[in-house]
Amino acid sequence: MEPFYTALNAVKVLRSSVGHVFDTLGNGVRADHGEENKDNKFLLELQELLSTVNVNLRELDQAVNSLTPPPGPFNLGNSTYLTQECTLERQALYADLVKSYKWTDKVHEYGNLAVTLFSQNSLKRSYINSSSKRRRMQTSSHNVPPQTVDQVIGNIDRQFSDMSVTIQRPYATNAVLQITLGRILKAMAAFKGLMIEWVVVKGHGETLDLWTESRHKVFRKVTENAHAAMLHFYSPTMPELAVRSFMTWFHSYNTLFSDPCKRCGNHLHSALPPTWRDFRTLEPFHEECKP
Ligand SMILES: [Zn+2]
């Protein structure tokens, strides 16, 4: 790379000295050449400049000679056909093409990094992850007939008098639950078989859907904790127990606005009620007071 820069620099120096010659030539005889012998002085100056050009040219020659030519023509693939393009606006495509090649390369690189990272993730729950796991996972929580899901959810619905759970199936066989917890909050939970895939918690005045978050901070916080809980309770071998544990945990939010924090004893901390429920004891804690 070093000789290449030297050569480029030599080109720059040569251009500059040639420019100087034409500058001087264009200006002609100047006042600072004086009156006496002014033509001679002018010619001498020009000669000097021209010899500088000569020296610079020789330097460029040397620099170019020390370069090693590339072993063969560059392989440009299909992009070589762009040179045969005669419409002006399409000739500019080459730069865009190079940019998109670079972009694709980057996507490849990031994709590979992401695969490495995700394959280390122990919370991987989807059976489309790798072919080796497919058979084992399919016989567990994903592949459950709708009747079984209905039955499990129905039992949970009957278990808690102040929590109503209704099942919808907007996306073919997989269930989406609409949960109403007293007058405290409502939630939507998307299932894949008997596995909870997604939960959104909202207030009573809000429209309930799977894609938008609540406009209230307290329900956004509960949503976040519900995500942690759905991962915590997830069990591929005992899917029914996992759902039941999650729902029991979720039901403990019926005292969201009435129970004080187990640790500090206050109702509010940073203007929020205790939004965390212990996974085992179901005791309420503020985010900051979590054990
Ligand atoms: Zn607290």
Side-chain angles (χ1 to χ4, degrees):
M1 220 50 196
E2 194 57 42
F4 187 66
Y5 282 124
T6 319
L8 278 181
N9 207 39
V11 173
K12 224 161 58 183
V13 172
L14 180 64
R15 285 177 65 127
S16 148
S17 60
V18 169
H20 211 154
V21 171
F22 283 108
D23 256 3
T24 315
L25 207 57
N27 286 333
V29 180
R30 297 185 311 269
D32 57 304
H33 287 126
E35 272 306 307
E36 229 173 292
N37 269 342
K38 54 183 178 187
D39 293 350
N40 247 353
K41 280 184 187 159
F42 176 65
L43 282 177
L44 270 176
E45 189 184 339
L46 215 53
Q47 211 164 26
E48 218 168 281
L49 287 173
L50 280 172
S51 61
T52 316
V53 169
N54 246 334
V55 171
N56 291 156
L57 187 61
R58 223 172 300 132
E59 276 166 2
L60 176 63
D61 237 5
Q62 273 166 11
V64 168
N65 279 334
S66 68
L67 288 179
T68 42
F74 290 113
N75 186 11
L76 294 175
N78 283 338
S79 60
T80 35
Y81 297 120
L82 278 177
T83 53
Q84 292 162 15
E85 191 58 65
C86 47
T87 29
L88 207 61
E89 66 262 30
R90 283 205 199 151
Q91 284 174 353
L93 278 179
Y94 185 74
D96 288 339
L97 192 72
V98 171
K99 225 180 270 173
S100 67
Y101 275 148
K102 279 185 185 160
W103 195 83
T104 323
D105 274 354
K106 251 182 217 168
V107 169
H108 252 281
E109 198 185 318
Y110 290 158
N112 283 333
L113 286 176
V115 165
T116 326
L117 283 176
F118 285 147
S119 60
Q120 293 165 354
N121 186 356
S122 57
L123 293 172
K124 176 167 57 184
R125 308 185 307 155
S126 182
Y127 59 68
I128 50 170
N129 271 327
S130 70
S131 51
S132 60
K133 285 203 169 170
R134 193 171 294 164
R135 195 165 302 136
R136 191 170 61 80
M137 298 290 271
Q138 260 185 342
T139 55
S140 66
S141 52
H142 307 294
N143 209 6
V144 179
Q147 294 88 336
T148 315
V149 179
D150 285 2
Q151 209 180 344
V152 171
I153 304 298
N155 285 340
I156 291 168
D157 187 30
R158 279 188 290 279
Q159 193 183 338
F160 304 102
S161 57
D162 53 351
M163 184 166 77
S164 85
V165 184
T166 50
I167 303 175
Q168 302 167 333
R169 284 199 163 76
Y171 315 113
T173 53
N174 285 321
V176 175
L177 302 194
Q178 194 159 334
I179 308 164
T180 310
L181 186 54
R183 298 174 64 82
I184 309 293
L185 53 81
K186 44 187 193 167
M188 232 178 191
F191 276 66
K192 188 187 236 177
L194 263 180
M195 185 185 85
I196 308 170
E197 281 242 297
W198 192 247
V199 184
V200 175
V201 179
K202 286 197 173 177
H204 265 286
E206 299 185 279
T207 43
L208 198 54
D209 61 74
L210 282 172
W211 321 114
T212 54
E213 50 179 20
S214 171
R215 63 171 183 273
H216 305 291
K217 195 174 175 189
V218 53
F219 296 124
R220 289 204 298 273
K221 209 71 221 174
V222 175
T223 302
E224 204 181 299
N225 292 334
H227 290 167
M230 95 188 166
L231 294 172
H232 173 83
F233 290 120
Y234 167 66
S235 158
T237 47
M238 291 180 285
E240 194 183 327
L241 179 68
V243 175
R244 216 147 8 100
S245 308
F246 175 84
M247 291 306 238
T248 309
W249 174 87
F250 192 74
H251 173 261
S252 66
Y253 279 105
N254 63 344
T255 57
L256 176 62
F257 297 111
S258 49
D259 268 1
C261 170
K262 192 77 189 170
R263 177 136 176 256
C264 69
N266 292 330
H267 282 277
L268 291 180
H269 190 296
S270 315
L272 283 178
T275 50
W276 175 256
R277 292 291 184 277
D278 188 272
F279 289 140
R280 211 169 36 82
T281 64
L282 307 182
E283 285 166 342
F285 289 95
H286 290 119
E287 191 67 25
E288 296 84 350
C289 303
K290 262 196 277 185

